[in-house]
Amino acid sequence: MIIMFSATCHYGLQAMFYIANHATKDINVGSLEIAEEQDIPKHFLSKILQLLVKHKLLVSTKGPSGGFKLGRDPKDITIIEVVEAIDGLDIFEQCGFGFKICDSGDPCPIHHDYENIRNKVYHLFKDTSLEELVNEVNNGKNFVSVGGNANTNSQNSFKEANQK
């Protein structure tokens, strides 16, 4: 078994990334826009966004120009905070096979290798901010495919890299 996050967590990460990439100090992003652009069921997304508001990762504004924006500067929000708000951090302690009893004293056959992988993923998520992710996509270092469409800022870079 590999480290698995819930669909809720995946959608939450996608929504946070989308908001980090589209909202500004003066512009909110609506949940319908996120749902359509990210191909996330809108009722499911609404619950996720409210959970992220509860954890102060997002701010919600009502009214004609309402919607969502980040609760803090994107450089101050790490991926691990989103995972913790939605799925918790237990995933980084669980056995790779799903055994209830598995630790350094009573390890399963993959315990030590899996522990190293879990630790690497944890530190990657802990050390990576939303701002870093947005900058990598906007600078053409990576691309994002949402709703079947690649991010246009980096789509050409991706195509060029694959043609070489």
Side-chain angles (χ1 to χ4, degrees):
M1 189 184 296
I2 57 172
I3 295 176
M4 300 288 289
F5 300 104
S6 68
T8 304
C9 190
H10 286 226
Y11 289 152
L13 289 165
Q14 291 172 25
M16 288 292 289
F17 176 80
Y18 188 88
I19 293 167
N21 200 28
H22 292 88
T24 66
K25 182 180 173 186
D26 301 319
I27 299 173
N28 296 313
V29 179
S31 60
L32 186 58
E33 175 185 341
I34 299 166
E36 289 174 355
E37 291 294 321
Q38 296 293 123
D39 197 21
I40 300 172
K42 62 183 174 183
H43 296 294
F44 193 28
L45 178 63
S46 293
K47 291 178 183 181
I48 297 167
L49 294 174
Q50 288 309 316
L51 180 61
L52 294 168
V53 167
K54 179 181 174 184
H55 285 272
K56 300 186 186 321
L57 295 172
L58 291 178
V59 174
S60 173
T61 306
K62 296 182 182 195
S65 61
F68 297 87
K69 60 184 166 190
L70 298 178
R72 301 190 310 268
D73 193 291
K75 74 177 173 19
D76 297 326
I77 300 175
T78 60
I79 300 171
I80 200 72
E81 290 181 84
V82 180
V83 171
E84 183 175 21
I86 297 171
D87 278 354
L89 298 180
D90 290 348
I91 191 83
F92 296 103
E93 300 295 325
Q94 295 172 352
C95 172
F97 281 146
F99 295 135
K100 293 189 189 302
I101 298 175
C102 176
D103 56 32
S104 295
D106 294 308
C108 75
I110 64 167
H111 177 79
H112 299 294
D113 291 332
Y114 192 69
E115 182 177 41
N116 289 334
I117 292 167
R118 280 192 327 241
N119 288 336
K120 286 180 183 178
V121 171
Y122 175 84
H123 288 288
L124 170 67
F125 284 16
K126 181 179 170 281
D127 297 337
T128 305
S129 71
L130 288 176
E131 181 178 71
E132 291 172 79
L133 299 177
V134 168
N135 287 342
E136 285 192 13
V137 170
N138 289 337
N139 292 332
K141 291 182 181 178
N142 295 300
F143 86 105
V144 176
S145 177
V146 291
N149 299 313
N151 178 296
T152 55
N153 290 338
S154 56
Q155 187 174 10
N156 293 335
S157 303
F158 177 73
K159 285 180 182 175
E160 290 169 9
N162 284 329
Q163 291 174 350
K164 292 181 182 178

